Amino acid sequence: MSIAVKSIFSEDKDSRTIRIVLLNDHEGKALVLLPANMLLNLVSIWKHSGRHLQPVRARDAIKFFSQAALKVKAGQEKLFQLPVFMDESLADCERFNIVESYTGLAFDAQKAWFKDHLSQCVLGMTPQMIDKPQSGGSDEQVITRAVERFTTLRIQQRLEDTLGLPPLPPSMKRLVELRSDPSAGIDDLVPVVRGDASLAAQVMSWAASPYYAAPGEIHSVEDAVIRVLGFDLVVNLALGVAMGKTLNVPDDTPRDGVPYWQQAVYTAAAAELVCKKMPAEIRPKPGLVYLAGLLQNFGYLVLAYLFPPHFSLLSRYIEANPHMALELIEMHVVNVTREQIGSWLLENWGLPEVVIETVRYHNDLSYDGQASDEAKLIYCVNRALRRHGLADGPVEVIADTILTELKLTQADLDDAVATIAESRGELDSLVHTIMHAHS
C-alpha cells in the first residue's frame, strides 16, 4: 500500500508553512527546510552541498518523525543538530511553522537552534516556476521537445515511428476495432480470443478468479465470455493488458508506492462500481470507464521507456515531494506528463476517443470536452483510493461541486473503495494473472 500524504502545496498559507525533509547519504542524515508550496529540487542541493543526498523512503521517514522525543520542544531542538539546508527565500525568517509531509508532525522552530550549521541556497520551485518551461503547442509538440531535450534523438519523421515503440499484435488490433464498433458482440469476440492462445488462457483464468465468483466450473472460452465476464469486460481487460504488455513495468519506481498493475486494476474496478451508481440519464458506459481506469496511468510506462536515465531521478523526486501533484514533478524532471504522453500513444494505437480524452484530462478539472464526466469520475475515484493508500499521489479534497455534477455522494465513493479494500485478495489474484501474462 502507498503512504497517504496530504496535498499541502496548493494552500494559500503554504508560503508561511515550512516543510521539513529528511535526506541521507553515506555521510549521514541532513535536513532540508523550504516553503511547503515548493518542490524540492534535488539537483540544486547536490550541486550546493557536493553530496548525493537522497530522500529516505516513506516508511523510514514515518519511523523517524514519529519518535516520541519529537513531540516535545527539547527533542525538536535536538533534531536540528543535524546539518540543515534551507531555501534562501527563508533567509530573513527567525521562526518557522514546521510541517512534515508523511506524519503530519507540526511544531514551531527557531533559527537560533541551527544557525551555526546552516547552509542556504535556492532549493525550491513553485508550481508556477515549474509550469513556465513547458511552452505552448500540441501534446505531440511538447513530447517532441522533451524527447529531443532528454535523448539523442532528433525528431525528423512521425514521432511514433522515430521512438521505436512496439506495435500491438494483430489480435489486439482486432480488439481495438471491436471496442470501437458499437455493433460488435460476443459472436465477433469469441473467435478473436480463441485464436490467441495466450489471450484465451488469460480469459479462462479471469473467469475463474474469486473476484467474479462464477458458479460452477468454466469449461470453455465461450463459457467464460458468455456466462461470466461478458463482452465489455473481456475486451477491456485484454486491451489493458495488451497496452501494458508492450512496455515493461520499470524496476526503479518510487519506494513504498502501489505497484503499477495493482493500481490499474483497483482504479478500473472502483471506477466501474462508482459509474453504476450514477443516474442512468448521465451515466457513462461502464466498460469504457473501466478501460480508462485501467489505462489512466499508462503514460508512466511510456515515460520509463523513453527516459530510462531520468526515470530513477523522477522516482527520487516523487519521494522527496510526496505532497505535490505528480504531473508537476514530471513536468520539472522530463518536461512532459504521463497524461500527455500516454494519451498520445493510445490515440496512435486507435483507442476510442472517450478513453483517450479521459486518460489525458482526468487530472484537469477545467476540461469540459466530450469525456468530461468520465475524466471527473476517474479523478474522484483516484483521489478516494489515495486516501486509503490504494493509489499513489497526494491526498486531495474532492470538491462537493464535482460530486454534484456527477450526481454522486462521498458515500458512493467510500462504498466503492470499501468494496475494493475488502476484495483486495481476489483482485490481487487477477493482478497476478495479468503480470504472469507479461513473463
Side-chain angles (χ1 to χ4, degrees), residues 119-232:
S119 183
Q120 295 181 172
C121 62
V122 177
L123 293 175
M125 299 185 69
T126 65
Q128 294 73 24
M129 295 165 65
I130 295 168
D131 191 48
K132 195 173 182 180
Q134 194 188 72
S135 53
S138 68
D139 281 350
E140 183 157 342
Q141 291 170 328
V142 170
I143 295 166
T144 297
R145 287 195 294 268
V147 170
E148 290 185 337
R149 177 175 176 179
F150 291 102
T151 74
T152 58
L153 292 174
R154 290 296 174 264
I155 308 301
Q156 297 176 336
Q157 60 189 76
R158 284 170 59 88
L159 186 57
E160 63 270 26
D161 295 335
T162 305
L163 299 181
L165 290 163
L168 292 178
S171 63
M172 296 309 161
K173 290 182 179 178
R174 179 59 181 145
L175 285 172
V176 171
E177 293 172 0
L178 292 178
R179 177 69 277 176
S180 301
D181 183 357
S183 65
I186 287 175
D187 290 342
D188 303 296
L189 174 61
V190 168
V192 176
V193 176
R194 292 176 62 185
D196 186 318
S198 173
L199 177 56
Q202 289 172 49
V203 168
M204 293 289 285
S205 181
W206 294 335
S209 167
Y211 183 70
Y212 298 109
E217 295 184 6
I218 311 300
H219 297 289
S220 65
V221 169
E222 291 89 338
D223 202 20
V225 176
I226 295 171
R227 186 165 65 85
V228 183
L229 300 174
F231 176 89
D232 268 359

Side-chain angles (χ1 to χ4, degrees), residues 360-403:
R360 174 63 181 87
Y361 294 108
H362 70 273
N363 285 321
D364 182 0
L365 292 177
S366 66
Y367 166 72
D368 62 356
Q370 64 170 325
S372 177
D373 286 350
E374 290 86 349
K376 288 183 174 67
L377 177 58
I378 297 298
Y379 172 93
C380 292
V381 165
N382 181 262
R383 270 62 182 178
L385 290 169
R386 289 181 185 184
R387 287 204 308 270
H388 296 270
L390 298 174
D392 293 332
V395 174
E396 299 168 340
V397 175
I398 302 171
D400 290 338
T401 53
I402 302 172
L403 295 174

